[in-house]
Amino acid sequence: MNIPQNILDRYKKQGRILPWRQTKDPYAIHISEVMLQQTQVERVIPYFHQWMKDFPDYVSLAKATKTDLLKHRSWLGFNSRALRLQACAQTVVEQYDGKLPNKRNQLLWLPWIWPYTSAAILAFAWNQEVPVIDTNIRRVLIFLYKLPETISLQELELFAEKIIPSGKSRDWHNALMDYGALELTARKTKIKPLSKQSKFEGSDRQVRGWILKQLTKDDKPLLISRVQEEFPNKDVADIIKGMLDEKLILKKKWTLILE
């Protein structure tokens, strides 16, 4: 059986139509990859569209105010990632005239771009033959090629790089992701993920997102007591401390404000 060809054929017929798959713009792909981290595809789509409308490139993102920026991420619960994206955008503007470099060593030098993100950008924006290993792709490769579940990420990347169909890296990795998400699921294969996504409901992320939503919506100080009333079973003081440490917010007496 020609595994790569079968997977590619299936993708050609049944592949998911997603907005970040309709472009080769490195910026758009970078944004989508950050938004998709630990977040379901369906939840990301409307935020991605709105983000690209308001911040269509690195230049506009670099200049955005914190209030405008956080409005886009509060409901997804990853507010610090919006600020990290902006820090990266500012460096891209300063060092590369607003255009993302297409070399992996240069991408990894940028703030908050990690190995997986750099590989995804290279594969999906420039079709470069670099291995992109997410949870779904890892599961598909282990199952179809009968690899040990204990295989290290480094070993899996070396194997994965050898089987990328020539000139088809973009389609190949999208096809693998779809195959893992829709066909070879964790339930069907019994292959355990390396890490399990935590639930948003009742999490610290939900509290953080709620705080920032109130601050960006009302544009006025938020009483700490109101946060405690909203989340009586959470350690609000500790969550607020973390947000202060990350410079997401400021504390002014008994209230919270945006920095």
Side-chain angles (χ1 to χ4, degrees):
M1 180 177 69
N2 188 329
I3 292 176
Q5 193 58 54
N6 286 344
I7 292 177
L8 286 169
D9 287 346
R10 183 191 180 282
Y11 176 69
K12 187 176 181 179
K13 295 176 183 177
Q14 304 176 36
R16 291 178 293 181
I17 299 175
L18 302 172
W20 44 88
R21 290 183 177 177
Q22 311 307 306
T23 179
K24 297 177 183 177
D25 177 17
Y27 171 75
I29 291 166
H30 181 192
I31 297 301
S32 72
E33 286 299 328
V34 173
M35 285 189 170
L36 286 164
Q37 292 171 16
Q38 296 188 342
T39 309
Q40 294 178 343
V41 170
E42 293 75 16
R43 293 188 66 205
V44 169
I45 291 174
Y47 290 96
F48 175 80
H49 282 305
Q50 188 62 49
W51 181 288
M52 292 302 298
K53 179 180 177 181
D54 292 342
F55 312 121
D57 50 36
Y58 286 109
V59 174
S60 57
L61 175 55
K63 294 179 179 178
T65 67
K66 178 177 285 189
T67 299
D68 287 341
L69 195 60
L70 293 178
K71 283 180 180 178
H72 287 269
R73 291 298 277 170
S74 59
W75 278 111
L76 287 183
F78 295 107
N79 307 285
S80 60
R81 293 185 185 178
L83 300 180
R84 292 171 183 174
L85 274 169
Q86 185 177 55
C88 184
Q90 290 166 345
T91 303
V92 172
V93 170
E94 292 169 3
Q95 301 293 328
Y96 296 103
D97 197 29
K99 297 181 180 179
L100 205 65
N102 63 354
K103 305 293 184 183
R104 193 165 195 183
N105 61 331
Q106 292 176 309
L107 287 176
L108 289 171
W109 178 83
L110 293 169
W112 308 111
I113 288 189
W114 307 115
Y116 169 81
T117 307
S118 67
I121 293 171
L122 292 173
F124 297 131
W126 289 291
N127 201 32
Q128 292 188 26
E129 293 175 9
V130 294
V132 182
I133 309 293
D134 72 348
T135 298
N136 285 317
I137 291 178
R138 173 182 175 271
R139 183 170 60 252
V140 170
L141 293 180
I142 287 175
F143 186 86
L144 291 182
Y145 289 95
K146 304 186 186 306
L147 303 174
E149 282 192 56
T150 55
I151 188 171
S152 69
L153 178 59
Q154 184 178 16
E155 291 173 321
L156 188 58
E157 286 182 338
L158 290 173
F159 174 83
E161 186 172 15
K162 295 177 182 177
I163 62 171
I164 298 173
S166 180
K168 297 181 180 179
S169 181
R170 180 185 294 111
D171 286 348
W172 171 241
H173 287 103
N174 278 327
L176 285 174
M177 286 180 177
D178 276 12
Y179 202 54
L182 305 176
E183 293 293 330
L184 293 183
T185 62
R187 177 176 294 182
K188 183 174 181 178
T189 64
K190 310 300 182 185
I191 295 174
K192 297 180 180 179
L194 292 176
S195 60
K196 189 174 182 180
Q197 181 176 333
S198 59
K199 292 183 178 179
F200 179 74
E201 191 70 27
S203 68
D204 288 0
R205 290 189 289 117
Q206 183 186 26
V207 181
R208 290 159 61 98
W210 186 87
I211 290 172
L212 288 171
K213 182 175 184 297
Q214 303 309 309
L215 291 174
T216 54
K217 179 181 70 173
D218 298 334
D219 196 25
K220 62 183 181 181
L222 174 65
L223 286 169
I224 295 175
S225 60
R226 186 182 170 200
V227 185
Q228 293 170 326
E229 290 172 1
E230 187 72 21
F231 300 97
N233 298 319
K234 298 295 295 182
D235 189 345
V236 170
D238 188 62
I239 293 171
I240 289 174
K241 181 180 182 302
M243 296 178 73
L244 292 170
D245 291 342
E246 292 179 36
K247 301 186 185 301
L248 286 172
I249 57 174
L250 291 176
K251 183 179 179 182
K252 189 175 183 180
K253 293 186 177 180
W254 308 109
T255 65
L256 305 174
I257 60 174
L258 284 177
E259 186 181 8

